[in-house]
Amino acid sequence: MSDRPDIGDSIPDIALESPDGSALRIADFKGKPLVLFFYPKDDTPGCTTENKDFTELKGEFDAAGIALLGVSKDPPAKHGKFIAKHGLAAPLASDPVENGLADALGIWVEKSMYGRTYMGMERTTYLVDAEGRIARIWRKVKVKGHAAEVLEAARAL
């Protein structure tokens, strides 16, 4: 899939929805680096761990002037419950079910489990520079230690 945006490309400015239902755009973060982490589903073991890890380091991201945003296709109300249940501090956004940001980035992909194929989010993190260009991409993320690795890379921007 060579048509996926890559390092040096601008991140597409496709509207997302915050848990309170308001629109959120990638352009809203221009002027500061942004860590955009995409995960498959709220309240599943790996996704909960990943969100908690980013929450734990949020103060360090803030101190370094780096914005955080977690994205999945879960609806805003589900994000609200997920945030409340686990005390998450990293902001979350909902990606449109069709033609969303994950689709534009090529990370809404066909997956298969137990012989069943379905569409799902490929766990991917993007480090976006202050001008809105992709500085680094982590594909098929392994959760353990990921948030700390991203923080280190973001500080080096």
Side-chain angles (χ1 to χ4, degrees):
M1 280 180 106
S2 56
D3 58 342
R4 296 203 277 199
D6 209 344
I7 292 170
D9 293 338
S10 290
I11 196 98
D13 190 29
I14 294 172
L16 302 169
E17 200 174 353
S18 67
D20 68 8
S22 62
L24 193 61
R25 302 195 75 90
I26 300 305
D28 298 342
F29 296 93
K30 216 167 189 150
K32 70 185 328 189
L34 168 66
V35 170
L36 202 52
F37 64 98
F38 289 84
Y39 63 94
K41 206 164 188 46
D42 287 348
D43 232 359
T44 55
C47 299
T48 299
T49 299
E50 183 177 20
N51 274 279
K52 284 179 165 181
D53 289 352
F54 275 111
T55 288
E56 220 171 273
L57 295 173
K58 186 174 185 310
E60 292 186 53
F61 280 99
D62 290 349
I66 302 154
L68 273 177
L69 187 62
V71 181
S72 79
K73 297 237 180 221
D74 288 311
K78 191 168 181 205
H79 278 336
K81 288 178 182 151
F82 184 45
I83 290 166
K85 180 176 178 181
H86 297 286
L88 303 176
L92 300 182
S94 295
D95 192 30
V97 173
E98 287 184 26
N99 303 315
L101 184 54
D103 300 87
L105 293 169
I107 59 173
W108 184 245
V109 297
E110 190 173 276
K111 294 177 151 190
S112 110
M113 186 169 15
Y114 307 122
R116 183 179 74 90
T117 59
Y118 59 97
M119 294 303 287
M121 190 75 75
E122 185 178 280
R123 191 183 308 274
T124 307
T125 299
Y126 292 84
L127 176 56
V128 181
D129 69 17
E131 281 74 54
R133 284 188 302 274
I134 300 168
R136 181 135 179 221
I137 304 170
W138 290 264
R139 298 195 189 281
K140 297 184 180 169
V141 167
K142 300 289 179 252
V143 173
K144 190 170 173 47
H146 179 62
E149 183 187 336
V150 172
L151 176 62
E152 199 173 304
R155 281 182 173 147
L157 258 192

